[in-house]
Amino acid sequence: MDRMVSLCKRRGFVFPSSEIYGGLGSTWDYGPLGAELKRNIKDIWWAAMVHQRDDIEGLDAAILMHPRVWETSGHLDHFTDPLVDCKTCKARFREDELDSARCPRKPSKTPKECGGELTDARQFNLMFKTFMGPVEDDSAVIYMRPETAQGIYVNFLNVMGPARQKIPFGIAQIGKAFRNEITPGNFIFRTREFEQMEMQFFVKPGEDGRWFEYWREQRWQWYLDIGIREEKIRWHEHGPGELAHYARAAYDIEYEFPFGWKELEGVHNRTDFDLSRHAEATGKDLSVFDDENKKKFIPFIIETSAGCDRTLLTVLVDAYAEEEVRGDTRVVMRFHPRLAPYKVAVFPLVNRDGMPDIAGRIAADLRRHFKVFYDDKGAVGRRYRRQDEIGTPFAITVDSDTLTDQTVTLRDRDTMAQIRVPSDALVAALHERLHI
Ligand code: GAP
C-alpha cells in the first residue's frame, strides 16, 4: 500500500490537497494521470448505466438542496456516528471502531488498551453545514449533500415525464458528496469529500425482489468488466442490525484491500420509503398510475451506490504489480486498457536520422484516436519502464528499420512481447488490442 501511495504521488495520480500548506485532513487532489483515470471510470460507468440502455436517464442535480430534504430523508436525525473522545490525548474515535483503532500516542495499543480515559459516546452528525445568503443564522443553515440519491428522488417526476419513461426505469447520477467523517483514512478509501456514482431504479411493489437480484448481478459484472480480479471481490449481506433505516435488503460488494475486506458499493432495496416520505413532507403526489390494474402506487426503489474514488483506489490496488525481470524489479500497473490514462506511448529509438520526426508524426496521427504519450528522453528500456509504471498498455518505437520498411515495434505492457507493425496499420492494430 505504501509503495502504491508513493507511486501515486511521484507519477501524478493523487496527492494531498493544499500540500504546500501542510495538507488538509483526508482531502486529496487528482493529478494528470489520476484525473484521466477517474474520468475513464466515470465514463465506463455512465456508458454501462445510461448510454447502453433505454431504461435509465441521466441527471446532474445541485449539491445544495432545500434543508428540509435532509429532515425528510432522515439524515438530520439518523446520519450520525457514535463519537468517543480520549480525555488524555484528545484523540477522537468512532465507538464502533474502538477495537481496531490505534492510540496516536501508543500506536501498538487500541484506545481501550492505552490507559487513556474515554468519554461516553455521543452522536455526531456527519453532514457538513454552511449558510446560504449573507446572514449566518439558524434560518440560513443548509447542508452539503451527504449522498447524491436525494437529488434523484426529488426529481423523480421531473425526469419521468419529459423523458417519457414508464416504470420500471432508472435515474443515474455522478457527483460529489460530503461527509464529516470522524475517522477518514487509508488514503482515498474514506475521505470527507468524494464522488458517488448512484442509480435509483423505480419499480412496481412486488417486482422489487426480482429487480434487486438483477441489479446485484449487473453490478458484480461491472467490476469484472473493468478488470477487477473476481477472487478479490465478495458479497456482504447486511444483517438485521446493520440495515439502514430505509432498507428492506442490502448487499455490499466488498474488495480485499491490503487493509482488509471493505465496502466498495451498496445495492439496496429502499422500498417506497424515500418517495413516500417526500410526498408526505411536500404534499406532492409522487405516485404513478398502473395501467394494468388502474390503481396508483408509489414506486419501490432499487439503489446501486458506488464510490468513484473508492473504485479508483480498488483499480490502483488491483492493478499494482511488482515482478522480477532479468534481476530487476519491474513495477507495472496492469490497468484494463479502457481505464489506462494513456493508451499508447511513442518513442524514437534515438534522436537522430529523422526518427523523432517520424515518431512525432505517428504520435500526432494516433492522438486523433487515443491518449498518447510521446517520450524521447533516456534509454528506451527506461522509457518502457516508466510507461509500465503508469499502466500504458502499448508502446511504439521508431527505429532504423522504420526508415527502410516503414514498420515500427509494438510492445505489449503485460507480456513485454514485441512485434513489428506497418506504421500505417497502427490505428487498427491498437483498436483491436485495446478493445475500445
Ligand atoms: N445513497 C446510499 C449511500 O450513500 P453509502 O453506503 O453510505 O450509501 C455508498 O455510500 C458508497 O459511497 C460506498 O459504498 C462508498 O463506495 C462511497 N462512500 C461512502 N462514504 C465514503 C467516504 N467517506 N469516502 C469515500 N467514499 C465513500
Side-chain angles (χ1 to χ4, degrees), residues 146-147 149 179 181 188-192 194 196 198 200 246 263-266 268 270 303 305-307 310:
E147 61 170 14
R179 295 183 189 178
E181 300 279 3
I188 54 172
F189 177 79
R190 184 177 292 122
T191 53
R192 296 190 169 110
F194 55 96
Q196 289 187 316
E198 293 199 304
Q200 315 292 325
Y246 51 73
E263 174 186 339
L264 198 49
E265 161 155 4
H268 310 131
R270 299 182 66 123
E303 166 180 69
S305 178
R310 212 170 271 186

PDB file of all heavy atoms in Angstrom, residues 146-147 149 179 181 188-192 194 196 198 200 246 263-266 268 270 303 305-307 310, ligand 1:
ATOM      1  N   PRO A 146     -24.823  14.691   1.597  1.00  0.00           N
ATOM      2  CA  PRO A 146     -24.004  13.551   2.002  1.00  0.00           C
ATOM      3  C   PRO A 146     -24.173  12.357   1.067  1.00  0.00           C
ATOM      4  O   PRO A 146     -23.489  11.343   1.213  1.00  0.00           O
ATOM      5  CB  PRO A 146     -24.543  13.219   3.389  1.00  0.00           C
ATOM      6  CG  PRO A 146     -25.967  13.652   3.340  1.00  0.00           C
ATOM      7  CD  PRO A 146     -26.069  14.792   2.380  1.00  0.00           C
ATOM      8  N   GLU A 147     -25.117  12.424   0.134  1.00  0.00           N
ATOM      9  CA  GLU A 147     -25.299  11.386  -0.886  1.00  0.00           C
ATOM     10  C   GLU A 147     -25.983  12.061  -2.080  1.00  0.00           C
ATOM     11  O   GLU A 147     -26.665  13.077  -1.912  1.00  0.00           O
ATOM     12  CB  GLU A 147     -26.165  10.225  -0.377  1.00  0.00           C
ATOM     13  CG  GLU A 147     -27.572  10.640   0.020  1.00  0.00           C
ATOM     14  CD  GLU A 147     -28.515   9.468   0.303  1.00  0.00           C
ATOM     15  OE1 GLU A 147     -28.052   8.327   0.458  1.00  0.00           O
ATOM     16  OE2 GLU A 147     -29.737   9.706   0.334  1.00  0.00           O
ATOM     17  N   ALA A 149     -28.223  10.562  -3.919  1.00  0.00           N
ATOM     18  CA  ALA A 149     -29.515   9.912  -4.136  1.00  0.00           C
ATOM     19  C   ALA A 149     -30.712  10.853  -3.985  1.00  0.00           C
ATOM     20  O   ALA A 149     -31.661  10.795  -4.771  1.00  0.00           O
ATOM     21  CB  ALA A 149     -29.660   8.744  -3.147  1.00  0.00           C
ATOM     22  N   ARG A 179     -19.020  14.194   3.623  1.00  0.00           N
ATOM     23  CA  ARG A 179     -19.340  13.639   4.953  1.00  0.00           C
ATOM     24  C   ARG A 179     -18.216  14.007   5.907  1.00  0.00           C
ATOM     25  O   ARG A 179     -17.045  13.764   5.593  1.00  0.00           O
ATOM     26  CB  ARG A 179     -19.471  12.102   4.897  1.00  0.00           C
ATOM     27  CG  ARG A 179     -20.633  11.671   4.045  1.00  0.00           C
ATOM     28  CD  ARG A 179     -20.821  10.165   4.035  1.00  0.00           C
ATOM     29  NE  ARG A 179     -21.824   9.844   3.027  1.00  0.00           N
ATOM     30  CZ  ARG A 179     -22.212   8.629   2.708  1.00  0.00           C
ATOM     31  NH1 ARG A 179     -21.668   7.574   3.316  1.00  0.00           N
ATOM     32  NH2 ARG A 179     -23.140   8.436   1.791  1.00  0.00           N
ATOM     33  N   GLU A 181     -16.505  12.793   8.154  1.00  0.00           N
ATOM     34  CA  GLU A 181     -16.154  11.506   8.768  1.00  0.00           C
ATOM     35  C   GLU A 181     -15.281  11.715  10.003  1.00  0.00           C
ATOM     36  O   GLU A 181     -14.381  12.563  10.004  1.00  0.00           O
ATOM     37  CB  GLU A 181     -15.374  10.636   7.765  1.00  0.00           C
ATOM     38  CG  GLU A 181     -16.119  10.311   6.477  1.00  0.00           C
ATOM     39  CD  GLU A 181     -17.110   9.164   6.632  1.00  0.00           C
ATOM     40  OE1 GLU A 181     -17.258   8.655   7.749  1.00  0.00           O
ATOM     41  OE2 GLU A 181     -17.735   8.796   5.613  1.00  0.00           O
ATOM     42  N   ILE A 188      -7.314   7.219  -0.170  1.00  0.00           N
ATOM     43  CA  ILE A 188      -8.584   7.784  -0.633  1.00  0.00           C
ATOM     44  C   ILE A 188      -9.772   6.872  -0.325  1.00  0.00           C
ATOM     45  O   ILE A 188     -10.846   7.065  -0.863  1.00  0.00           O
ATOM     46  CB  ILE A 188      -8.533   8.100  -2.146  1.00  0.00           C
ATOM     47  CG1 ILE A 188      -8.105   6.864  -2.951  1.00  0.00           C
ATOM     48  CG2 ILE A 188      -7.621   9.273  -2.421  1.00  0.00           C
ATOM     49  CD1 ILE A 188      -8.220   7.045  -4.459  1.00  0.00           C
ATOM     50  N   PHE A 189      -9.583   5.881   0.576  1.00  0.00           N
ATOM     51  CA  PHE A 189     -10.688   4.961   0.855  1.00  0.00           C
ATOM     52  C   PHE A 189     -11.840   5.697   1.536  1.00  0.00           C
ATOM     53  O   PHE A 189     -12.988   5.611   1.103  1.00  0.00           O
ATOM     54  CB  PHE A 189     -10.234   3.793   1.731  1.00  0.00           C
ATOM     55  CG  PHE A 189     -11.369   2.882   2.092  1.00  0.00           C
ATOM     56  CD1 PHE A 189     -11.826   1.950   1.183  1.00  0.00           C
ATOM     57  CD2 PHE A 189     -12.031   2.991   3.310  1.00  0.00           C
ATOM     58  CE1 PHE A 189     -12.906   1.132   1.474  1.00  0.00           C
ATOM     59  CE2 PHE A 189     -13.109   2.173   3.616  1.00  0.00           C
ATOM     60  CZ  PHE A 189     -13.539   1.246   2.693  1.00  0.00           C
ATOM     61  N   ARG A 190     -11.549   6.392   2.627  1.00  0.00           N
ATOM     62  CA  ARG A 190     -12.621   7.147   3.304  1.00  0.00           C
ATOM     63  C   ARG A 190     -12.170   8.594   3.442  1.00  0.00           C
ATOM     64  O   ARG A 190     -11.220   8.894   4.154  1.00  0.00           O
ATOM     65  CB  ARG A 190     -12.952   6.557   4.676  1.00  0.00           C
ATOM     66  CG  ARG A 190     -14.123   7.300   5.310  1.00  0.00           C
ATOM     67  CD  ARG A 190     -14.579   6.741   6.642  1.00  0.00           C
ATOM     68  NE  ARG A 190     -15.191   5.444   6.529  1.00  0.00           N
ATOM     69  CZ  ARG A 190     -14.773   4.361   7.158  1.00  0.00           C
ATOM     70  NH1 ARG A 190     -13.721   4.415   7.939  1.00  0.00           N
ATOM     71  NH2 ARG A 190     -15.399   3.215   7.014  1.00  0.00           N
ATOM     72  N   THR A 191     -12.850   9.459   2.719  1.00  0.00           N
ATOM     73  CA  THR A 191     -12.479  10.861   2.709  1.00  0.00           C
ATOM     74  C   THR A 191     -13.712  11.688   3.065  1.00  0.00           C
ATOM     75  O   THR A 191     -14.819  11.161   3.167  1.00  0.00           O
ATOM     76  CB  THR A 191     -11.978  11.270   1.313  1.00  0.00           C
ATOM     77  OG1 THR A 191     -12.967  10.889   0.358  1.00  0.00           O
ATOM     78  CG2 THR A 191     -10.674  10.584   0.968  1.00  0.00           C
ATOM     79  N   ARG A 192     -13.501  12.981   3.229  1.00  0.00           N
ATOM     80  CA  ARG A 192     -14.640  13.831   3.611  1.00  0.00           C
ATOM     81  C   ARG A 192     -15.336  14.412   2.387  1.00  0.00           C
ATOM     82  O   ARG A 192     -16.466  14.852   2.477  1.00  0.00           O
ATOM     83  CB  ARG A 192     -14.163  14.920   4.565  1.00  0.00           C
ATOM     84  CG  ARG A 192     -13.650  14.315   5.877  1.00  0.00           C
ATOM     85  CD  ARG A 192     -13.403  15.365   6.939  1.00  0.00           C
ATOM     86  NE  ARG A 192     -13.184  14.734   8.221  1.00  0.00           N
ATOM     87  CZ  ARG A 192     -12.026  14.699   8.863  1.00  0.00           C
ATOM     88  NH1 ARG A 192     -10.958  15.269   8.343  1.00  0.00           N
ATOM     89  NH2 ARG A 192     -11.922  14.092  10.026  1.00  0.00           N
ATOM     90  N   PHE A 194     -15.989  13.298  -1.618  1.00  0.00           N
ATOM     91  CA  PHE A 194     -15.787  12.187  -2.549  1.00  0.00           C
ATOM     92  C   PHE A 194     -16.877  12.211  -3.604  1.00  0.00           C
ATOM     93  O   PHE A 194     -17.838  12.984  -3.495  1.00  0.00           O
ATOM     94  CB  PHE A 194     -15.787  10.837  -1.800  1.00  0.00           C
ATOM     95  CG  PHE A 194     -17.010  10.600  -0.962  1.00  0.00           C
ATOM     96  CD1 PHE A 194     -18.081   9.857  -1.447  1.00  0.00           C
ATOM     97  CD2 PHE A 194     -17.110  11.137   0.313  1.00  0.00           C
ATOM     98  CE1 PHE A 194     -19.223   9.646  -0.676  1.00  0.00           C
ATOM     99  CE2 PHE A 194     -18.243  10.940   1.092  1.00  0.00           C
ATOM    100  CZ  PHE A 194     -19.301  10.192   0.595  1.00  0.00           C
ATOM    101  N   GLN A 196     -19.774  10.070  -5.825  1.00  0.00           N
ATOM    102  CA  GLN A 196     -20.582   8.851  -5.889  1.00  0.00           C
ATOM    103  C   GLN A 196     -21.086   8.638  -7.311  1.00  0.00           C
ATOM    104  O   GLN A 196     -21.260   9.600  -8.066  1.00  0.00           O
ATOM    105  CB  GLN A 196     -21.785   8.956  -4.956  1.00  0.00           C
ATOM    106  CG  GLN A 196     -21.414   8.884  -3.481  1.00  0.00           C
ATOM    107  CD  GLN A 196     -22.646   8.825  -2.595  1.00  0.00           C
ATOM    108  OE1 GLN A 196     -23.600   9.557  -2.796  1.00  0.00           O
ATOM    109  NE2 GLN A 196     -22.623   7.948  -1.602  1.00  0.00           N
ATOM    110  N   GLU A 198     -24.341   6.903  -8.508  1.00  0.00           N
ATOM    111  CA  GLU A 198     -25.546   6.262  -7.959  1.00  0.00           C
ATOM    112  C   GLU A 198     -26.621   6.120  -9.028  1.00  0.00           C
ATOM    113  O   GLU A 198     -26.769   6.969  -9.906  1.00  0.00           O
ATOM    114  CB  GLU A 198     -26.108   7.078  -6.796  1.00  0.00           C
ATOM    115  CG  GLU A 198     -25.183   7.092  -5.599  1.00  0.00           C
ATOM    116  CD  GLU A 198     -25.885   7.492  -4.303  1.00  0.00           C
ATOM    117  OE1 GLU A 198     -26.482   8.578  -4.263  1.00  0.00           O
ATOM    118  OE2 GLU A 198     -25.839   6.727  -3.338  1.00  0.00           O
ATOM    119  N   GLN A 200     -30.831   4.974  -9.194  1.00  0.00           N
ATOM    120  CA  GLN A 200     -32.049   4.584  -8.476  1.00  0.00           C
ATOM    121  C   GLN A 200     -33.002   4.032  -9.518  1.00  0.00           C
ATOM    122  O   GLN A 200     -33.328   4.723 -10.491  1.00  0.00           O
ATOM    123  CB  GLN A 200     -32.672   5.796  -7.766  1.00  0.00           C
ATOM    124  CG  GLN A 200     -31.671   6.675  -7.005  1.00  0.00           C
ATOM    125  CD  GLN A 200     -31.071   6.008  -5.784  1.00  0.00           C
ATOM    126  OE1 GLN A 200     -31.760   5.247  -5.110  1.00  0.00           O
ATOM    127  NE2 GLN A 200     -29.810   6.275  -5.493  1.00  0.00           N
ATOM    128  N   TYR A 246     -33.912   2.865   5.953  1.00  0.00           N
ATOM    129  CA  TYR A 246     -34.786   2.866   4.782  1.00  0.00           C
ATOM    130  C   TYR A 246     -34.781   1.531   4.033  1.00  0.00           C
ATOM    131  O   TYR A 246     -35.533   1.364   3.090  1.00  0.00           O
ATOM    132  CB  TYR A 246     -34.353   3.978   3.810  1.00  0.00           C
ATOM    133  CG  TYR A 246     -32.870   3.951   3.486  1.00  0.00           C
ATOM    134  CD1 TYR A 246     -32.335   2.968   2.658  1.00  0.00           C
ATOM    135  CD2 TYR A 246     -32.009   4.887   4.026  1.00  0.00           C
ATOM    136  CE1 TYR A 246     -30.981   2.922   2.384  1.00  0.00           C
ATOM    137  CE2 TYR A 246     -30.648   4.851   3.746  1.00  0.00           C
ATOM    138  CZ  TYR A 246     -30.147   3.865   2.921  1.00  0.00           C
ATOM    139  OH  TYR A 246     -28.810   3.817   2.661  1.00  0.00           O
ATOM    140  N   GLU A 263     -16.130  -2.300   2.027  1.00  0.00           N
ATOM    141  CA  GLU A 263     -17.228  -1.994   1.095  1.00  0.00           C
ATOM    142  C   GLU A 263     -16.769  -1.143  -0.084  1.00  0.00           C
ATOM    143  O   GLU A 263     -16.049  -0.175   0.070  1.00  0.00           O
ATOM    144  CB  GLU A 263     -18.314  -1.230   1.866  1.00  0.00           C
ATOM    145  CG  GLU A 263     -19.423  -0.742   0.983  1.00  0.00           C
ATOM    146  CD  GLU A 263     -20.427   0.153   1.718  1.00  0.00           C
ATOM    147  OE1 GLU A 263     -20.494   0.090   2.962  1.00  0.00           O
ATOM    148  OE2 GLU A 263     -21.132   0.910   1.021  1.00  0.00           O
ATOM    149  N   LEU A 264     -17.272  -1.557  -1.241  1.00  0.00           N
ATOM    150  CA  LEU A 264     -16.985  -0.847  -2.482  1.00  0.00           C
ATOM    151  C   LEU A 264     -18.262  -0.191  -3.005  1.00  0.00           C
ATOM    152  O   LEU A 264     -18.258   0.931  -3.492  1.00  0.00           O
ATOM    153  CB  LEU A 264     -16.507  -1.922  -3.464  1.00  0.00           C
ATOM    154  CG  LEU A 264     -15.761  -1.586  -4.698  1.00  0.00           C
ATOM    155  CD1 LEU A 264     -14.628  -0.655  -4.389  1.00  0.00           C
ATOM    156  CD2 LEU A 264     -15.214  -2.886  -5.293  1.00  0.00           C
ATOM    157  N   GLU A 265     -19.335  -0.940  -2.905  1.00  0.00           N
ATOM    158  CA  GLU A 265     -20.617  -0.466  -3.450  1.00  0.00           C
ATOM    159  C   GLU A 265     -21.753  -1.126  -2.667  1.00  0.00           C
ATOM    160  O   GLU A 265     -21.636  -2.269  -2.251  1.00  0.00           O
ATOM    161  CB  GLU A 265     -20.708  -0.876  -4.932  1.00  0.00           C
ATOM    162  CG  GLU A 265     -22.111  -0.870  -5.499  1.00  0.00           C
ATOM    163  CD  GLU A 265     -22.182  -0.687  -7.009  1.00  0.00           C
ATOM    164  OE1 GLU A 265     -21.126  -0.636  -7.671  1.00  0.00           O
ATOM    165  OE2 GLU A 265     -23.306  -0.584  -7.522  1.00  0.00           O
ATOM    166  N   GLY A 266     -22.858  -0.396  -2.531  1.00  0.00           N
ATOM    167  CA  GLY A 266     -24.036  -0.976  -1.886  1.00  0.00           C
ATOM    168  C   GLY A 266     -25.164  -1.141  -2.893  1.00  0.00           C
ATOM    169  O   GLY A 266     -25.373  -0.276  -3.752  1.00  0.00           O
ATOM    170  N   HIS A 268     -29.174  -1.673  -2.651  1.00  0.00           N
ATOM    171  CA  HIS A 268     -30.178  -1.613  -1.584  1.00  0.00           C
ATOM    172  C   HIS A 268     -31.584  -1.688  -2.151  1.00  0.00           C
ATOM    173  O   HIS A 268     -31.864  -1.103  -3.192  1.00  0.00           O
ATOM    174  CB  HIS A 268     -30.080  -0.277  -0.822  1.00  0.00           C
ATOM    175  CG  HIS A 268     -28.695   0.073  -0.381  1.00  0.00           C
ATOM    176  ND1 HIS A 268     -28.122   1.302  -0.600  1.00  0.00           N
ATOM    177  CD2 HIS A 268     -27.763  -0.659   0.260  1.00  0.00           C
ATOM    178  CE1 HIS A 268     -26.896   1.310  -0.102  1.00  0.00           C
ATOM    179  NE2 HIS A 268     -26.652   0.134   0.421  1.00  0.00           N
ATOM    180  N   ARG A 270     -34.735  -0.060  -1.232  1.00  0.00           N
ATOM    181  CA  ARG A 270     -35.139   1.036  -0.348  1.00  0.00           C
ATOM    182  C   ARG A 270     -36.653   1.117  -0.201  1.00  0.00           C
ATOM    183  O   ARG A 270     -37.161   2.086   0.377  1.00  0.00           O
ATOM    184  CB  ARG A 270     -34.595   2.362  -0.866  1.00  0.00           C
ATOM    185  CG  ARG A 270     -33.073   2.401  -0.921  1.00  0.00           C
ATOM    186  CD  ARG A 270     -32.545   3.737  -1.396  1.00  0.00           C
ATOM    187  NE  ARG A 270     -32.813   4.809  -0.471  1.00  0.00           N
ATOM    188  CZ  ARG A 270     -31.887   5.607   0.094  1.00  0.00           C
ATOM    189  NH1 ARG A 270     -30.623   5.433  -0.187  1.00  0.00           N
ATOM    190  NH2 ARG A 270     -32.240   6.562   0.912  1.00  0.00           N
ATOM    191  N   GLU A 303     -31.553   0.647  -5.353  1.00  0.00           N
ATOM    192  CA  GLU A 303     -30.435   1.594  -5.487  1.00  0.00           C
ATOM    193  C   GLU A 303     -29.123   0.856  -5.680  1.00  0.00           C
ATOM    194  O   GLU A 303     -28.852  -0.131  -4.988  1.00  0.00           O
ATOM    195  CB  GLU A 303     -30.349   2.435  -4.211  1.00  0.00           C
ATOM    196  CG  GLU A 303     -29.048   3.208  -4.079  1.00  0.00           C
ATOM    197  CD  GLU A 303     -28.972   4.041  -2.814  1.00  0.00           C
ATOM    198  OE1 GLU A 303     -28.881   3.452  -1.711  1.00  0.00           O
ATOM    199  OE2 GLU A 303     -29.016   5.275  -2.922  1.00  0.00           O
ATOM    200  N   SER A 305     -25.226   2.016  -5.374  1.00  0.00           N
ATOM    201  CA  SER A 305     -24.485   3.196  -4.930  1.00  0.00           C
ATOM    202  C   SER A 305     -23.004   2.869  -4.806  1.00  0.00           C
ATOM    203  O   SER A 305     -22.576   2.160  -3.901  1.00  0.00           O
ATOM    204  CB  SER A 305     -25.039   3.647  -3.578  1.00  0.00           C
ATOM    205  OG  SER A 305     -24.303   4.744  -3.110  1.00  0.00           O
ATOM    206  N   ALA A 306     -22.238   3.412  -5.760  1.00  0.00           N
ATOM    207  CA  ALA A 306     -20.796   3.120  -5.779  1.00  0.00           C
ATOM    208  C   ALA A 306     -20.013   4.394  -5.507  1.00  0.00           C
ATOM    209  O   ALA A 306     -20.450   5.491  -5.844  1.00  0.00           O
ATOM    210  CB  ALA A 306     -20.405   2.572  -7.145  1.00  0.00           C
ATOM    211  N   GLY A 307     -18.853   4.240  -4.902  1.00  0.00           N
ATOM    212  CA  GLY A 307     -17.963   5.384  -4.695  1.00  0.00           C
ATOM    213  C   GLY A 307     -16.971   5.423  -5.845  1.00  0.00           C
ATOM    214  O   GLY A 307     -16.317   4.422  -6.148  1.00  0.00           O
ATOM    215  N   ARG A 310     -13.405   5.395  -4.395  1.00  0.00           N
ATOM    216  CA  ARG A 310     -13.134   4.063  -3.852  1.00  0.00           C
ATOM    217  C   ARG A 310     -12.917   3.058  -4.974  1.00  0.00           C
ATOM    218  O   ARG A 310     -12.096   2.151  -4.858  1.00  0.00           O
ATOM    219  CB  ARG A 310     -14.286   3.634  -2.944  1.00  0.00           C
ATOM    220  CG  ARG A 310     -13.811   2.758  -1.835  1.00  0.00           C
ATOM    221  CD  ARG A 310     -14.891   2.532  -0.825  1.00  0.00           C
ATOM    222  NE  ARG A 310     -14.906   3.535   0.233  1.00  0.00           N
ATOM    223  CZ  ARG A 310     -15.693   3.468   1.288  1.00  0.00           C
ATOM    224  NH1 ARG A 310     -16.530   2.459   1.423  1.00  0.00           N
ATOM    225  NH2 ARG A 310     -15.655   4.409   2.212  1.00  0.00           N
TER     226      ARG A 310
HETATM  227  N1  GAP B   1     -27.192   6.508  -1.196  1.00  0.00           N
HETATM  228  C1  GAP B   1     -26.688   5.436  -0.435  1.00  0.00           C
HETATM  229  C2  GAP B   1     -25.372   5.690   0.113  1.00  0.00           C
HETATM  230  O1  GAP B   1     -24.861   6.805   0.063  1.00  0.00           O
HETATM  231  P1  GAP B   1     -23.375   4.557   1.366  1.00  0.00           P
HETATM  232  O2  GAP B   1     -23.105   3.116   1.625  1.00  0.00           O
HETATM  233  O3  GAP B   1     -23.369   5.494   2.531  1.00  0.00           O
HETATM  234  O4  GAP B   1     -24.784   4.592   0.621  1.00  0.00           O
HETATM  235  C3  GAP B   1     -22.277   4.482  -0.983  1.00  0.00           C
HETATM  236  O5  GAP B   1     -22.351   5.078   0.278  1.00  0.00           O
HETATM  237  C4  GAP B   1     -20.847   4.379  -1.461  1.00  0.00           C
HETATM  238  O6  GAP B   1     -20.208   5.667  -1.418  1.00  0.00           O
HETATM  239  C5  GAP B   1     -19.961   3.492  -0.590  1.00  0.00           C
HETATM  240  O7  GAP B   1     -20.088   2.124  -0.943  1.00  0.00           O
HETATM  241  C6  GAP B   1     -18.577   4.023  -0.903  1.00  0.00           C
HETATM  242  O8  GAP B   1     -18.081   3.465  -2.111  1.00  0.00           O
HETATM  243  C7  GAP B   1     -18.831   5.504  -1.110  1.00  0.00           C
HETATM  244  N2  GAP B   1     -18.506   6.266   0.113  1.00  0.00           N
HETATM  245  C8  GAP B   1     -19.301   6.450   1.186  1.00  0.00           C
HETATM  246  N3  GAP B   1     -18.661   7.194   2.119  1.00  0.00           N
HETATM  247  C9  GAP B   1     -17.448   7.487   1.604  1.00  0.00           C
HETATM  248  C10 GAP B   1     -16.313   8.236   2.079  1.00  0.00           C
HETATM  249  N4  GAP B   1     -16.326   8.857   3.246  1.00  0.00           N
HETATM  250  N5  GAP B   1     -15.217   8.308   1.285  1.00  0.00           N
HETATM  251  C11 GAP B   1     -15.188   7.714   0.067  1.00  0.00           C
HETATM  252  N6  GAP B   1     -16.225   7.002  -0.427  1.00  0.00           N
HETATM  253  C12 GAP B   1     -17.342   6.889   0.326  1.00  0.00           C
END
